[in-house]
Amino acid sequence: MADAVQPDSTTVQQPLKRSRSLWSSYVAATTDLRLPAECMQLQRLLGKVPAFPTRSVEAHNKLSTLRYHHSRLGLRISGTSTWRTSLGECDLPPKTLCQELLYGFHDSVGCSFAEQSHFMDWPGVQEGDRQKTEGNHLAILLLAWAYVLSARWVELQPPCGLTGSLPPGAMHYSDLQAARLNDEEDIPADTIEIDIGQECERAARWWAAILAPGEGWYATIDFGDKIYRSPWSAHIASPILLKLRNTSVTHKQSETPISSDEALNYLREYCELHGISSQCIPALAASLFLPWKNSDDGASAVLPLPKPSRIPVSRPRQKPPPGSLHFERSVQSESLLLPYYMTLSCNIRGLRALLSGSFFDPAISCNLVSLWM
């Protein structure tokens, strides 16, 4: 009698042959190396994902099941979800499942750069890129999104703080900053120039913080006797330096950290300046995995080495391209969805399911999944 759990050699060969044939056919059929347009549609991932929970939700709802607790990795929030049958005559009772989200960490994720990467040159997006974009800005945009998510995390905290008596969440800059290049200054061998255009001093100070060699900014909350960092806290930990090229007049630096909305505006302007709007949303998608990296006991994130396109300093800012209004609306739409992305981002189990979902086939038995993959 055949073993229902341990497959025999004949059964093993079937998913192996099928998987090799299927994945090889995809590779052979790929003539367009650009990313599918679906990569730009993150909203499809959300489904009925709830908005990111805050203490104010629990305070205004006596029936809330949210609980905050310390753990080895940081602050976690736990609750329950109740599942019920929908239409039909099924008499199954409701099922309640425990859920847990990462809410705060002790440390920030260090980001290093890989000189060899499939994204050294941006491949473009199908039905999106009308103009070929050389190089990539993914690491730069990811670090900008990390700040945006962290600032929104702080802004979602109630005014009285998590405990009701301690200060609320806070954003602040550190003394570390990315250096600025003069117009005539040559670029050292271990330095990458980041042209931020004709930005105001508040924008330049923000870029100097997020591209600093180390932690240039902090997003924190107080809980009990501990201070926790935002789950999206990230900083550059690389011998390769990023230096800013800014054509604005230098005034007294602003030490007041900007809001998430203001940061989004500067991020959008940077994308328009370099013509890289198609890289913005994929960078947001990548930033959603920062909490996962932070949960791996000090694991660092390896990002593709920035290879930005050079914009002559003497060239004035041009008028926005024809698609800029559509891009601006797209960024505004994503801004409204940030609390939902934050919930998804802090659910590590959910992220694993999303990554594995591309390979899901209901016809493959659970004891043959490793062979199928």
Side-chain angles (χ1 to χ4, degrees):
M1 182 177 179
D3 191 335
V5 177
Q6 184 67 35
D8 55 34
S9 58
T10 303
T11 305
V12 165
Q13 291 301 317
Q14 292 175 353
L16 277 176
K17 291 180 180 179
R18 183 181 169 195
S19 64
R20 288 170 183 166
S21 175
L22 179 64
W23 308 133
S24 299
S25 68
Y26 288 157
V27 174
T30 301
T31 57
D32 190 346
L33 298 179
R34 294 178 300 171
L35 299 177
E38 289 78 10
C39 293
M40 304 287 287
Q41 301 168 356
L42 294 187
Q43 299 95 327
R44 294 184 177 184
L45 300 177
L46 294 177
K48 295 184 179 181
V49 171
F52 194 70
T54 65
R55 185 73 176 186
S56 58
V57 173
E58 183 179 353
H60 290 89
N61 184 2
K62 295 181 180 180
L63 299 179
S64 174
T65 60
L66 298 181
R67 297 293 182 268
Y68 297 82
H69 53 92
H70 304 283
S71 69
R72 180 177 57 86
L73 293 175
L75 184 63
R76 295 176 180 267
I77 181 172
S78 61
T80 60
S81 62
T82 302
W83 296 76
R84 297 180 176 87
T85 56
S86 54
L87 301 178
E89 299 180 357
C90 181
D91 57 354
L92 288 175
K95 185 174 183 179
T96 300
L97 301 176
C98 294
Q99 303 288 343
E100 189 174 72
L101 297 179
L102 302 172
Y103 200 85
F105 286 97
H106 300 300
D107 301 306
S108 171
V109 175
C111 299
S112 58
F113 300 129
E115 297 188 17
Q116 298 296 327
S117 168
H118 292 295
F119 290 98
M120 285 303 296
D121 287 294
W122 177 244
V125 178
Q126 298 173 9
E127 303 176 6
D129 288 352
R130 297 181 180 275
Q131 181 178 2
K132 177 66 175 177
T133 301
E134 296 182 357
N136 80 82
H137 299 248
L138 291 174
I140 300 167
L141 300 182
L142 181 144
L143 292 167
W145 276 114
Y147 180 99
V148 171
L149 290 165
S150 298
R152 186 64 58 89
W153 176 76
V154 169
E155 293 161 5
L156 288 174
Q157 305 303 325
C160 59
L162 282 177
T163 62
S165 59
L166 293 175
M171 297 286 301
H172 61 274
Y173 294 142
S174 73
D175 294 332
L176 296 177
Q177 297 186 42
R180 306 193 193 187
L181 294 167
N182 299 322
D183 290 351
E184 296 80 17
E185 185 178 350
D186 293 331
I187 305 173
D190 60 345
T191 299
I192 296 177
E193 175 188 5
I194 308 299
D195 195 325
I196 60 174
Q198 299 174 336
E199 291 286 10
C200 66
E201 190 57 37
R202 281 180 61 82
R205 179 64 182 92
W206 175 67
W207 283 111
I210 65 173
L211 300 181
E215 295 188 67
W217 57 273
Y218 298 96
T220 60
I221 58 172
D222 297 300
F223 187 81
D225 58 349
K226 299 182 183 297
I227 296 179
Y228 291 101
R229 308 278 190 87
S230 154
W232 302 274
S233 296
H235 65 277
I236 295 175
S238 170
I240 300 177
L241 300 178
L242 305 184
K243 291 190 176 182
L244 304 180
R245 178 82 69 177
N246 179 221
T247 59
S248 66
V249 179
T250 302
H251 302 287
K252 182 179 179 180
Q253 290 192 2
S254 170
E255 292 301 320
T256 303
I258 63 177
S259 67
S260 61
D261 286 337
E262 192 174 356
L264 262 177
N265 186 53
Y266 296 146
L267 171 60
R268 177 183 56 80
E269 290 178 350
Y270 179 87
C271 291
E272 292 177 345
L273 176 68
H274 291 273
I276 54 169
S277 59
S278 65
Q279 299 184 33
C280 186
I281 304 305
L284 168 60
S287 69
L288 298 182
F289 288 88
L290 287 173
W292 188 349
K293 298 299 295 184
N294 209 334
S295 67
D296 285 345
D297 283 335
S300 62
V302 181
L303 309 177
L305 184 71
K307 187 182 175 183
S309 53
R310 179 71 172 89
I311 295 181
V313 177
S314 59
R315 191 178 82 183
R317 181 185 290 273
Q318 297 179 344
K319 294 182 179 180
S324 62
L325 181 58
H326 173 74
F327 176 58
E328 181 178 357
R329 290 174 178 171
S330 175
V331 172
Q332 292 173 348
S333 175
E334 298 297 342
S335 176
L336 297 176
L337 295 174
L338 285 182
Y340 302 91
Y341 291 137
M342 292 163 67
T343 300
L344 182 64
S345 178
C346 290
N347 185 345
I348 304 304
R349 183 180 180 184
L351 288 180
R352 290 194 179 111
L354 284 175
L355 287 180
S356 303
S358 301
F359 306 99
F360 176 74
D361 188 330
I364 303 298
S365 301
C366 60
N367 60 339
L368 298 174
V369 168
S370 60
L371 301 171
W372 171 251
M373 300 284 280

